[in-house]
Amino acid sequence: MDSDDDIEQVSTRGRPVGDREAKRKELLRAASTVIAQEGYANASLRKVAKHAGYTTGAVTYYFANKEELVVALMESAFDRFDAMLESARETGDILAPFESWIRLTDRSTRFWPATSELLAQGRHEPAFAEVIARRYARYRRLLAAIVKDAQERGTVRNDIPADILTDQLVAMGDGWMMLYPIEPKRFTPKRMRALIDALAVLIAPVPGEPKPGGRAARA
C-alpha cells in the first residue's frame, strides 16, 4: 500500500503538493485502467480518483472535466505511437513498431482495451475526433516516410506506394487492437508472433521487382 508521502495531499486552497507532471501521468494511468475495466461510459472522475488514491478535487486540479482528461489520455497514447516510430526510424527496422505494438497486449497493461474504447468514441465526441484525426495523420505521415526509406533500401516491397502500404499496415494494427478486448484468449504470445512473422512476409520485396535505382515502381 502507498505511504502517505506517495498519496497526493491537497491544501485548503485545492492545490496539490508534489511533482505536477508525475502526478498528472499517474492520473492518466489510472484513467486508462478504469476505462479498460469499466468502459468509457462508466469511467467517472470519482472512479479515476479512487483508483489513483486521490481525491476527486485533486483530479479536477489537473483536468477540469472528463473530456479534458480523456483528450489528454488520447494525446498520451499517440505519444507512445510516435515513440515507437522514432525507434524504427533510428534502427531502420520497419517491424520494430509492430513488435512494440504487440508487446502492449501484455496482461499487465490496459493500453489496447482503453485505446480501442476511446477511438470508438470519436464518432460521437467532436473533441475526440479532432485528436484522433490530427494525431493519426501525423502517425501515418511518419510511418509512410519510414516505409519509403525501406523501399529505397530494397528491404520492403516497392510495388505498392508507401502511403497505400502504410494505410494497410495501420489498418492491420488497428484491427488487432479492436479485437483484442473482445477475444483476448485468441491473442496468445504464439499467435502474436505468427502475426508479426506473416507481416514480414507480406511486406518483403517481391521476387523480380525493380531494385532501388532501377525502373520506378508502378503507381
Side-chain angles (χ1 to χ4, degrees):
M1 183 172 179
D2 294 332
S3 68
D4 291 342
D5 290 339
D6 294 328
I7 298 177
E8 180 165 349
Q9 303 298 312
V10 181
S11 71
T12 55
R13 297 182 61 184
R15 181 170 182 171
V17 176
D19 185 332
R20 177 184 175 88
E21 187 59 27
K23 293 185 183 301
R24 189 174 182 275
K25 289 180 178 179
E26 189 173 351
L27 289 172
L28 290 177
R29 287 194 296 269
S32 180
T33 298
V34 172
I35 291 171
Q37 292 176 345
E38 303 192 32
Y40 170 79
N42 295 321
S44 64
L45 294 184
R46 180 183 61 80
K47 289 180 179 179
V48 171
K50 182 178 180 180
H51 184 83
Y54 296 168
T55 66
T56 304
V59 178
T60 57
Y61 174 76
Y62 294 100
F63 307 101
N65 50 46
K66 181 178 176 179
E67 179 181 290
E68 187 174 305
L69 171 63
V70 172
V71 165
L73 184 57
M74 286 183 166
E75 295 278 10
S76 177
F78 278 104
D79 286 344
R80 291 186 74 170
F81 299 158
D82 287 352
M84 294 176 196
L85 292 183
E86 179 61 21
S87 174
R89 186 190 65 78
E90 291 177 351
T91 64
D93 181 1
I94 196 168
L95 292 179
F98 296 92
E99 296 276 4
S100 299
W101 184 247
I102 292 301
R103 284 197 292 272
L104 292 175
T105 60
D106 187 289
R107 297 306 174 88
S108 66
T109 181
R110 300 294 179 181
F111 186 83
W112 276 28
T115 305
S116 62
E117 278 274 333
L118 298 184
L119 291 178
Q121 292 302 313
R123 292 183 54 199
H124 312 290
E125 302 285 349
F128 301 170
E130 187 280 328
V131 174
I132 293 168
R134 171 171 50 82
R135 295 300 300 263
Y136 251 122
R138 170 181 167 79
Y139 179 79
R140 288 192 301 269
R141 185 170 63 253
L142 293 174
L143 181 56
I146 294 171
V147 170
K148 187 172 180 61
D149 286 345
Q151 288 177 325
E152 292 174 352
R153 292 195 307 271
T155 58
V156 169
R157 61 188 302 165
N158 63 18
D159 60 330
I160 301 174
D163 63 318
I164 299 299
L165 187 55
T166 294
D167 273 359
Q168 292 286 3
L169 294 173
V170 172
M172 278 190 280
D174 286 347
W176 298 339
M177 183 179 67
M178 291 296 184
L179 288 174
Y180 174 74
I182 299 171
E183 303 178 277
K185 293 181 179 179
R186 191 164 72 91
F187 289 86
T188 62
K190 182 178 179 180
R191 183 174 181 82
M192 299 308 282
R193 182 68 261 166
L195 289 172
I196 290 293
D197 291 344
L199 179 59
V201 173
L202 291 172
I203 66 174
V206 177
E209 73 178 0
K211 299 297 182 182
R215 183 170 56 84
R218 65 176 181 269

